[in-house]
Amino acid sequence: MKKFLMATAAAALSAGAASAADDTVKIGILLGFTGPLESLAPAMAGGAEVAIAEVSDSGKLLDGKTVEPVRGDATCIDAGAATAAGERLVTSDGVSAIMGAMCSGASGAVLSNVAVPNGIVMISPSSTSPALSSVEDNGLFFRTAPSDARQGTIMTEVIMERGIQSVALTYTNNDYGKGLADSFQQAFEAAGGEVTLSTPHEDGKADYSAEVGALAAAGGDALVVAGYVDQGGSGVVQAALDTGAFDTFVFPDGMVGDALVENFGDAIDGSFGQNPGSDSEGAKIYEDMAEAAGVEGGSVYSKEAYDAAALILMAMQAAGSTDANEFKSRIMDVANAPGEKILPGELGKALDILAEGGEVDYVGATDVELIGPGEAAGVFREIEIENGEIVTVRYR
């Protein structure tokens, strides 16, 4: 009898655990928690987790399912580590979708090696390589960040409007850096500008004086640094300042972060650049929500991460399923018109509308509009360094 009762209790516990698992949806948060952009990852993860908590706390997802975030470290620079982290999220943790990856190379590796073979939706908040626009993805890959094909055009406009006609260009030697460098050079030269030298730099070096020497010899009115603020990009800037080779720098998105001014302060005053950003109503609402949650909502790509997680969960509700084969086709539907516009803090409202068979047009924190192969059309924030601080000039 005792053995029977123990077996019955064990079976009940097992059934209870299975029931709890059935009522929980896990979303992977796959970012570079270590590596060249590690200073940006916490605010991005926090942004996604604000959206996840908002949906979970509403109790309205798929008849009351809770949502649990599971973090994984894709490192940004190690495709093998990114793949392994993605595999763990899918096979060990049982995630239904991935918010990430962070860097373009990591996204490409996880997409081809993990997401496509396992049928897992990925929405990256920050992978910007133009190559990802045409990657074979079986309809599983999306991004709330715009392609660097657009950033190259925006950067050209920002530079030209300041009267700069010639620049030297260095880029981190990976998918992100090469894609951005090529897009920018094509746009800049088409507009009549001159790129005196375009050369890669490797992350992780102690000394970048040789690279800066070559760039200085080529000349240019400014140095475009398409690198990572926590890695080689800052190393290049430091070497240029040390030698006096350049005093004006152009910073694309991978360089725009608090670490930039922490590293250099007013030594880079007058330098400028751009990163995806919005001054919309939704952006302000999100920043207030993030602050209340202890998240730095104004940090680069934090808003895009909130939007990426929100889109995943709304698409699941629209499809009535956590199966990627069912909900992947609904991501573009919930992201775009027609439908009731949805701002941050209104995810519960969106879930109600979708549960009743209605339509939503998710505006979110970044004025979401997905185009083409499922990527953001993109609004950019032009910045300048003034008195050792990053100042917003305008939005484009």
Side-chain angles (χ1 to χ4, degrees):
M1 183 66 175
K2 183 176 180 180
K3 288 183 179 179
F4 173 77
L5 290 173
M6 290 175 65
T8 302
L13 286 171
S14 177
S19 177
D22 289 343
D23 288 336
T24 300
V25 179
K26 293 183 178 180
I27 304 296
I29 308 294
L30 186 61
L31 300 172
F33 291 102
T34 61
L37 287 177
E38 60 186 20
S39 65
L40 303 183
M44 293 171 64
E49 289 163 357
V50 167
I52 287 170
E54 183 182 342
V55 167
S56 191
D57 291 347
S58 76
K60 296 177 179 180
L61 177 68
L62 300 173
D63 298 321
K65 291 187 183 294
T66 58
V67 191
E68 177 184 334
V70 185
R71 293 189 179 191
D73 183 9
T75 77
C76 266
I77 54 175
D78 186 335
T83 296
E87 287 176 342
R88 283 193 297 272
L89 288 174
V90 173
T91 59
S92 298
D93 297 310
V95 302
S96 297
I98 292 174
M99 197 295 299
M102 186 172 182
C103 296
S104 297
S107 283
V110 175
L111 178 63
S112 62
N113 296 321
V114 180
V116 169
N118 291 281
I120 297 292
V121 161
M122 295 174 62
I123 303 187
S124 172
S126 55
S127 294
T128 56
S129 170
L132 291 171
S133 297
S134 57
V135 69
E136 184 59 48
D137 66 352
N138 290 352
L140 294 166
F141 182 74
F142 304 82
R143 46 185 171 173
T144 50
S147 164
D148 280 331
R150 174 157 167 74
Q151 183 170 193
T153 300
I154 295 295
M155 184 155 55
T156 293
E157 294 173 0
V158 170
I159 293 170
M160 289 287 192
E161 288 175 11
R162 292 169 182 259
I164 294 174
Q165 297 294 320
S166 68
V167 298
L169 167 63
T170 181
Y171 58 90
T172 184
N173 193 17
N174 62 16
D175 292 351
Y176 159 69
K178 185 68 165 63
L180 176 55
D182 288 347
S183 295
F184 165 68
Q185 184 168 358
Q186 181 179 0
F188 193 64
E189 290 177 345
E194 178 190 8
V195 176
T196 60
L197 177 66
S198 175
T199 186
H201 62 261
E202 301 295 337
D203 288 319
K205 294 181 62 176
D207 181 16
Y208 290 91
S209 56
E211 290 87 345
V212 168
L215 292 161
D221 298 326
L223 175 60
V224 178
V225 185
Y228 294 135
V229 69
D230 292 323
Q231 262 292 347
S234 285
V236 168
V237 174
Q238 188 63 63
L241 292 173
D242 289 344
T243 61
F246 294 92
D247 56 14
T248 301
F249 303 92
V250 183
F251 297 122
D253 58 331
M255 292 295 295
V256 181
D258 290 342
L260 181 65
V261 290
E262 290 169 3
N263 290 343
F264 304 111
D266 59 9
I268 55 172
D269 274 6
S271 297
F272 56 92
Q274 70 287 319
N275 65 278
S278 172
D279 60 346
S280 66
E281 178 186 2
K284 181 62 171 67
I285 293 172
Y286 168 71
E287 288 183 5
D288 290 343
M289 291 171 58
E291 182 180 357
V295 175
E296 190 180 346
S299 182
V300 177
Y301 292 123
S302 181
K303 297 179 181 69
E304 286 81 359
Y306 174 92
D307 288 342
L311 286 174
I312 288 170
L313 295 167
M314 287 188 297
M316 288 179 175
Q317 184 83 337
S321 173
T322 61
D323 182 344
N325 289 322
E326 299 293 330
F327 77 80
K328 67 181 182 181
S329 64
R330 302 307 302 272
I331 290 172
M332 297 290 281
D333 294 340
V334 298
N336 298 331
E340 184 161 349
K341 294 189 181 300
I342 301 296
L343 295 170
E346 296 182 337
L347 300 186
K349 171 184 172 182
L351 296 176
D352 282 337
I353 294 170
L354 293 167
E356 295 168 0
E359 295 181 315
V360 299
D361 174 11
Y362 181 69
V363 175
T366 63
D367 275 343
V368 171
E369 182 74 15
L370 296 190
I371 59 173
E375 62 194 30
V379 177
F380 282 82
R381 177 180 68 138
E382 180 183 344
I383 62 98
E384 184 169 333
I385 312 301
E386 296 181 5
N387 300 317
E389 299 291 339
I390 297 174
V391 175
T392 299
V393 176
R394 58 178 288 197
Y395 291 88
R396 296 173 178 263

